[in-house]
Amino acid sequence: MYEKSTGVAYERIQGGPQPDTHQARITQIEEFINEVLKRDLRELENWIGQYNQEIMEYVQLKNTLQTFDAHLPEGYKTQVNIGSNVFMQARVSQMDKILVNVGKDVFLEMSMAEAERFSDVRIKILTKEADVLRDESIKKRTQIKMSLLAIGEREKLMQEEARQ
């Protein structure tokens, strides 16, 4: 009446899932965890790391701007790489405008206040985007835990059936 390929219906006729069915399902869940969920989690962690790195760059920009504004209003001395790791001493005396990389290696000239506002906005945007990725990461971790619980339950069923 029922064929073996119908799965659940066949198991009902036979008196419940067979140990081979449990083991096959456990193997299937383990493969799903290792090939899909863990890969997705690694990708999410990589993206979160990239966002965190970019956030730190903007925080560093903001801190540098605040330091320049508070402690070096008349400028400062530095060394500039003029090519082939050859440096020359330079003096920065005009601190009212700076060039800021706004993405894709596009630089805009901004005042110190504009650059500070720009870094604040970028920090907020990137933090929100990273938070979304962190939430997705939490969901993936939950899926992994739930899958491992499902494996544990299947193994308990197999042990109970083996006792009977």
Side-chain angles (χ1 to χ4, degrees), residues 92-104:
V92 178
S93 58
Q94 191 176 5
M95 301 275 294
D96 56 338
K97 297 281 185 183
I98 61 170
L99 293 174
V100 178
N101 185 350
V102 295
K104 304 287 184 188

Side-chain angles (χ1 to χ4, degrees), residues 120-133:
D120 283 336
V121 169
R122 288 299 296 160
I123 290 168
K124 287 178 186 174
I125 291 170
L126 292 169
T127 300
K128 286 181 181 179
E129 290 174 357
D131 287 344
V132 169
L133 291 175

